[in-house]
Amino acid sequence: GDGCLTSKNRIALSTQDEHIVDFAKKYLESKKLKYSIYKDKRRERLVSINVFNNSYKNDIVKLGYKDVYSYEKDIPLIVRKSPKKIVASFIRGLYEADGFCAFEKSRVNLSIGLSSENLINQLQLMLLNFGIISHKRVKKTTHRDSYILSVYNKNVKLFLELIGLDKNGYKYSNAIKGLKGLSDFENSNIDVMPCVNFYVYSLLKEFKKFNNLSKIKKTLEEFG
């Protein structure tokens, strides 16, 4: 997230979050890797961390991180096959870099925006493995479409419990503030199951043959 492998003999990371810069510096120093830090004068607080080490870059690529542009990225197989603890750590890092959190009217919105639809689809499935329901939408741009994956309300709470965010980051504080402002009432029309409308309409068509609303209601209750 917010990283680049496409430059020759170089790995780059750009961020505006101080806690991510601190984490990166400690990690690189623990690996005895030399790095340089560049502050962008055009954008306040934007910092680029550069690691000029071809051997280390090759090690990253061997793990399955592709030397490709952002719209071609996917989640490495080694991560997708890992235990939940490692998967959660990967997702947390991805959201720390590319995620955002906002409180909209009566809901908390924790989202991530990426230009790779394949990566977004993989991420949505991985979240579902944690029981976290997310919603995908396309954001049209003049250059290339991007994809937004959002989780709301109780699923944000579940995200914080099972995956987590860095408590020093603004995304975590925004999520906590938003969750505190929520009512206990949950709208039953939110987080409906995707791609099942054909089956639902088929069932309703059959139910209508009964021509008895109370019987339909009772049947629906029996099926849950």
Side-chain angles (χ1 to χ4, degrees), residues 130-146:
F130 284 89
I132 300 168
I133 298 170
S134 58
H135 305 263
K136 172 186 161 189
R137 64 182 172 88
V138 181
K139 182 180 179 182
K140 295 288 182 183
T141 67
T142 54
H143 176 56
R144 188 184 293 275
D145 291 346
S146 63

Side-chain angles (χ1 to χ4, degrees), residues 22-71:
D22 291 340
F23 175 87
K25 285 162 70 174
K26 287 175 184 175
Y27 171 79
L28 293 169
E29 286 164 7
S30 72
K31 295 288 182 183
K32 295 182 170 55
L33 291 166
K34 292 182 180 179
Y35 62 88
S36 63
I37 293 181
Y38 169 75
K39 292 185 178 180
D40 195 327
K41 294 177 182 178
R42 296 167 299 174
R43 292 176 63 186
E44 189 182 359
R45 290 176 50 234
L46 181 64
V47 172
S48 292
I49 302 170
N50 300 291
V51 183
F52 296 91
N53 189 310
N54 197 43
S55 176
Y56 181 63
K57 180 181 175 179
N58 288 338
D59 288 342
I60 296 293
V61 172
K62 283 176 186 175
L63 285 172
Y65 291 87
K66 296 175 182 176
D67 187 355
V68 295
Y69 293 105
S70 57
Y71 59 88

Side-chain angles (χ1 to χ4, degrees), residues 169-211:
Y170 76 93
K171 299 178 190 74
Y172 177 82
S173 60
N174 280 1
I176 293 297
K177 284 177 189 175
L179 289 171
K180 282 181 180 177
L182 285 180
S183 67
D184 294 329
F185 175 75
E186 287 287 350
N187 187 340
S188 60
N189 290 323
I190 293 176
D191 296 339
V192 294
M193 290 178 67
C195 308
V196 296
N197 46 338
F198 169 79
Y199 303 104
V200 172
Y201 284 122
S202 298
L203 281 170
L204 286 174
K205 194 175 178 182
E206 290 298 313
F207 288 146
K208 283 177 182 177
K209 292 177 183 177
F210 291 120
N211 199 26

